[in-house]
C-alpha cells in the first residue's frame, strides 16, 4: 500500500509541476473543485490528460473516511423491471461520483445475506435494496458499519430508514376503473398469491374501483395463481371463459399474454368479447401480437428517487437527517387489448 | 483512515480472545483459510458471528496491493442479452470473493470512457467489457493501472488480451440449414447493417449453408434494415411477401416477431406458407403468440468463461499468463414459427 500511495503522490507532484501550481491545488482540483478557479482547474486537468495521470480515488476515499461504493441488491437482473432500476441507479450514482456494485440475490436469503456481508466488509457508503420477503432484519449487517440502507419497491416504517415505492393500490384502481368505463358485464381479476404485498394491494385497489362506481366490491370474480407466468394466465382464462366476464385485470403482463392465449383457445375474442388489462408495461406489452393495455410503473423515477434519498443521507453526515417514505403513482397506458 | 484501521485491529483482537487463538490465526482464517485447520476456522467464525465483527476487506485489499473490484461494462442493462451476462458475472465474481461494479455505457463513447477512468481511479483489478464499436483504444486507460480488460461478445487480437465470443457464422449456418431442410422455395434474410460484425458473420454463415447444400449462395434474397426492431421486421416482410420465399432468417428475435406480423398483414400464413427463424432466444421468443424457432446463444457460458479468463489473469500475478480467445457455439431451438 505504501508503494501505491507513494506512486499517487509522485503523480500529483508531476501534475503540479506541469501545470505550474502547488500540489495542494492539484489535490483540491481532484477533491474539492469548488475551491479552485475554473481557469486553474482547466490547467490542472490538461496536465492530468497529458501525463495520463490516474488519481487513486480508492485510497483517497479511505483517507477521507467515506467509501464511494454503493450496493444495489435486487432479486433478479434479467427481470426487466429490476434491470430498468439498475440502469437508472448505475447512471445516477456514476454522475455523482460513486461506483455501483450490482448484487443479485436470486430469491435466496443466504445469498442476500452474503451480499450484505460483502458490502459491509467493503465499507460501502450505502445500499439500495429490494429485500426478499418482509423480513428486513438481515439489513442490520449494513448498519453495523454505518452503510445506509434505502428500500426500493418495498416499504418499511419510516423510522427504520428511507424507502421509495409505487402505489400499487392506485394501479389496481386505475386498471379496473378503465374496465368499468369501457366494458359491460362482470369484471374478473387473475392475481398472484395474496401474501405478496403488491398482489394484495393491486386487488384492494381493484375492489375500491368497484366501490367507487357504486358496485358491490364482492362482485369481483377472483382467480389466484401460484406462479405469475404466461402458462398460469392461459389456464386461468380457460377456466374463466365460461363465466363470460366483460373485462379481466391481470396483475402482471405475463398473465395478460397468457390470458389472451387462453381466451383465444376457448374461442373468446379479445378485445371484442373480453378486454384484458395487464400490469407493468414490460417490453412484452408491445412485443406480443396484440399490444397490451397495462399499468405503467415509473421505474426511472423509482431509481432516481432511491439515489437521491441515499446520497442525501450519506452526504448529510454529521448534519440532521430525516428519513422519508416516498410513494409514486403509476399510470394507465391504453392499447389494443382493452381499448 | 487510522481510526478505521485501528477499529479493525481491535475487532481482530477481540475475536482472537473469544476464540482462544492468536490474532495471526484470525487474520489467516480471513485471508488464507487453507493455512488454518477446519476446527480452528469454525471456532474463529463462531466468534466472528457472536461479536458481529465485520472485517474491513477494503483496507486489507489495499494492503495486499490488489483490489477486489471487477468492472462489467455493457452498452445496456435492459437488453436481456446483457442482463443475462450481468447475472452470471455478478454471481461468479461474488462466489470468488470479488465485487462487481456495473457500468452502463448507453452506446455513448464518452460515458464508456468515463467508466474506464472511474474503474482505473478505483484501482479495479480488472474489467469485463462489451466495447462500443470496433475501436478498443479507450481500454488503454485500464492498462495504465494494471487493470486487466477481457472482452466479451467481441473479439480482438489475442495479443491484446483475453476474449470470449459466440460463433455467429455458425449461428447463421444453423438457421439457414434448418430452413433448407424443412421448407421449399427461396430463402431470404432480414439483416441489420453489415458494418456490425455480428450481422456480417450471420449472413456469411447463411450463405455458407446454401453452398453446403449445393446451391448458389447468391440465391439468398437479402433485405437490410437500419434498426433491428419489430417495426422494421414488419415492413421488410410486407415487401418480401410478393417474392413468396419459403423460409426467412431474421438476424434477431425482434425482427422475427415483426416479420410474422408483416406476413400476417400480407395474408401469408406462418409457418404454413413461410417459415421464420429468429436469433437470440430472448424471452419474447416464447412470449409471442407464435413461439419462435431461433438460435440460442450460450449466455451463461459466455459470462462464466469471461470471469474464468479474467480471474485467471488477475490471480496469475507474477506467473506467466497467456491470453486466450474463446469462441462458443450457438444452437438451434425449434418451435412453431419454423417447425
Amino acid at each position: 500500500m505504501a508503494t501505491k500511495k507513494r506512486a499517487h503522490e509522485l503523480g500529483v507532484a508531476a501534475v503540479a509541476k506541469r501545470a505550474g501550481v502547488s500540489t495542494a491545488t492539484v489535490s483540491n482540483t481532484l477533491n474539492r473543485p469548488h475551491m479552485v478557479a475554473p481557469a486553474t482547474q482547466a490547467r490542472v486537468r490538461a496536465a492530468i490528460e497529458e501525463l495520463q495521470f490516474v488519481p487513486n480515488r480508492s485510497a483517497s476515499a479511505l483517507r477521507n473516511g467515506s467509501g464511494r461504493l454503493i450496493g444495489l441488491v435486487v432479486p433478479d437482473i434479467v427481470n426487466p423491471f429490476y434491470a430498468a432500476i439498475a440502469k437508472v441507479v448505475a447512471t445516477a450514482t456514476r454522475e455523482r461520483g460513486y461506483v455501483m456494485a450490482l448484487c443479485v440475490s436470486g430469491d435466496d436469503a443466504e445469498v442476500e445475506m452474503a451480499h450484505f456481508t460483502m458490502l459491509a466488509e467493503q465499507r460501502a457508503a450505502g445500499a439500495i435494496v429490494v429485500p426478499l420477503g418482509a423480513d428486513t432484519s438481515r439489513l442490520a449487517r449494513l448498519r453495523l458499519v454505518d452503510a445506509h440502507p434505502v428500500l426500493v419497491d418495498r416499504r418499511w416504517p419510516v423510522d427504520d430508514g428511507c424507502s421509495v415505492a409505487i402505489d400499487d393500490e392506485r394501479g389496481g384502481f386505475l386498471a379496473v376503473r378503465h374496465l368499468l368505463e369501457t366494458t359491460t358485464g362482470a369484471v374478473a381479476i387473475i392475481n398472484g398469491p395474496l401474501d405478496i404485498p403488491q398482489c394484495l394491494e393491486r386487488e384492494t385497489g381493484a375492489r375500491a374501483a368497484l366501490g367507487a362506481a357504486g358496485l358491490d366490491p364482492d362482485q369481483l370474480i377472483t382467480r389466484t395463481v401460484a406462479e405469475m407466468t404466461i402458462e398460469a394466465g392461459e389456464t386461468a382464462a380457460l377456466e374463466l371463459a365460461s363465466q363470460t366476464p366483460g373485462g379481466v385485470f391481470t396483475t402482471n403482463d405475463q398473465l395478460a399474454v397468457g390470458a389472451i392465449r387462453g381466451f383465444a383457445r376457448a374461442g373468446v375474442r379479445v378485445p371484442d368479447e373480453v378486454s384484458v388489462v395487464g400490469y407493468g408495461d414490460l417490453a412484452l406489452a408491445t412485443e406480443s401480437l396484440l399490444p397490451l393495455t397495462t399499468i405503467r410503473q415509473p421505474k426511472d423515477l423509482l431509481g432516481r428517487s432511491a439515489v437521491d434519498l441515499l446520497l442525501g443521507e450519506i452526504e448529510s453526515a454529521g448534519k440532521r437527517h430525516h428519513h422519508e417514505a416516498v410513494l409514486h403513482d403509476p399510470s394507465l397506458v391504453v392499447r389494443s387489448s382493452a381499448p
Side-chain angles (χ1 to χ4, degrees), chain A residues 133-134 154 168 193-204:
Chain A
R154 296 286 187 280
D168 278 293
L194 293 183
D195 57 355
I196 298 176
Q198 280 93 336
C199 291
L200 180 63
E201 288 165 16
R202 289 169 198 180
E203 186 156 329
T204 303

Side-chain angles (χ1 to χ4, degrees), chain A residues 309-326:
Chain A
L309 288 172
L310 178 58
L311 298 193
E313 188 165 337
I314 290 170
E315 293 170 2
S316 77
K319 277 170 277 173
R320 188 99 189 92
H321 167 79
H322 296 282
H323 294 316
E324 286 178 37
V326 176

Side-chain angles (χ1 to χ4, degrees), chain A residues 23 28 31 54 68 99 107 122 131 143 183 201 226 231 235 263 265 272 284 292 295-296 303 306-307 320 324 334 339:
Chain A
T23 54
N28 283 340
N31 300 312
V54 184
R68 307 300 281 178
V99 181
D107 280 320
Q122 294 290 332
R143 291 216 174 81
T183 66
E201 288 165 16
E231 292 68 32
T235 308
F263 284 126
R265 279 183 56 193
D272 299 344
L284 92 149
L292 298 181
I295 300 296
R296 177 176 294 165
V307 172
R320 188 99 189 92
E324 286 178 37
V334 177

Side-chain angles (χ1 to χ4, degrees), chain A residues 8-330:
Chain A
H8 178 81
E9 283 166 6
L10 286 173
V12 169
V15 169
K17 193 174 171 193
R18 181 102 179 178
V21 300
S22 69
T23 54
T25 301
V26 175
S27 176
N28 283 340
T29 301
L30 290 171
N31 300 312
R32 290 164 290 272
H34 58 278
M35 293 175 64
V36 183
T40 311
Q41 276 191 50
R43 226 158 65 229
V44 172
R45 290 194 193 285
I48 286 175
E49 271 308 313
E50 280 164 30
L51 296 174
Q52 299 230 306
F53 170 64
V54 184
N56 186 343
R57 300 240 182 229
S58 73
S60 73
L62 276 174
R63 262 202 305 282
N64 298 341
S66 72
R68 307 300 281 178
L69 188 73
I70 300 281
L72 174 71
V73 186
V74 292
D76 181 16
I77 189 65
V78 176
N79 178 321
F81 178 74
Y82 299 128
I85 291 175
K87 181 177 184 166
V88 174
V89 172
T91 305
T93 48
R94 180 186 65 78
E95 286 171 357
R96 294 178 64 173
Y98 290 80
V99 181
M100 186 195 96
L102 176 67
C103 307
V104 181
S105 53
D107 280 320
D108 181 330
E110 273 187 46
V111 173
E112 186 190 58
M113 188 66 203
H115 278 303
F116 293 156
T117 300
M118 181 277 287
L119 290 169
E121 288 177 353
Q122 294 290 332
R123 298 298 186 264
I128 295 172
V129 182
V130 182
L132 297 176
D135 175 14
T136 53
S137 65
R138 288 183 294 275
L139 288 156
R141 183 60 56 107
L142 293 173
R143 291 216 174 81
L144 278 180
V145 296
D146 294 325
H148 306 278
V150 168
L151 293 203
V152 66
D153 196 38
R154 296 286 187 280
R155 294 183 235 177
W156 59 2
V158 75
D159 285 343
D160 287 354
C162 290
S163 65
V164 52
I166 290 172
D167 189 337
D168 278 293
E169 211 173 301
R170 178 73 182 160
F173 182 89
L174 292 174
V176 170
R177 186 176 70 182
H178 176 71
L179 288 171
L180 291 170
E181 286 172 356
T182 56
T183 66
T184 53
V187 174
I189 185 171
I190 302 177
N191 201 359
L194 293 183
D195 57 355
I196 298 176
Q198 280 93 336
C199 291
L200 180 63
E201 288 165 16
R202 289 169 198 180
E203 186 156 329
T204 303
R207 288 181 193 277
L210 286 165
L215 301 167
D216 178 1
D218 287 337
Q219 285 181 3
L220 186 70
I221 302 169
T222 58
R223 273 280 175 293
T224 310
V225 297
E227 299 209 21
M228 300 170 73
T229 60
I230 293 179
E231 292 68 32
E234 186 169 350
T235 308
L238 275 169
E239 293 167 7
L240 274 176
S242 61
Q243 294 176 262
T244 61
V248 176
F249 168 41
T250 64
T251 53
N252 76 8
D253 284 346
Q254 287 87 342
L255 288 171
V257 168
I260 294 169
R261 275 196 205 165
F263 284 126
R265 279 183 56 193
V268 179
R269 282 169 297 138
V270 178
D272 299 344
E273 297 172 83
V274 61
S275 286
V276 175
V277 177
Y279 203 107
D281 198 28
L282 304 181
L284 92 149
T286 50
E287 286 169 349
S288 69
L289 286 187
L290 184 69
L292 298 181
T293 293
T294 188
I295 300 296
R296 177 176 294 165
Q297 297 174 291
K299 299 178 278 279
D300 286 12
L301 205 53
L302 208 58
R304 264 201 307 275
S305 297
V307 172
D308 286 345
L309 288 172
L310 178 58
L311 298 193
E313 188 165 337
I314 290 170
E315 293 170 2
S316 77
K319 277 170 277 173
R320 188 99 189 92
H321 167 79
H322 296 282
H323 294 316
E324 286 178 37
V326 176
L327 206 55
H328 292 297
D329 272 354

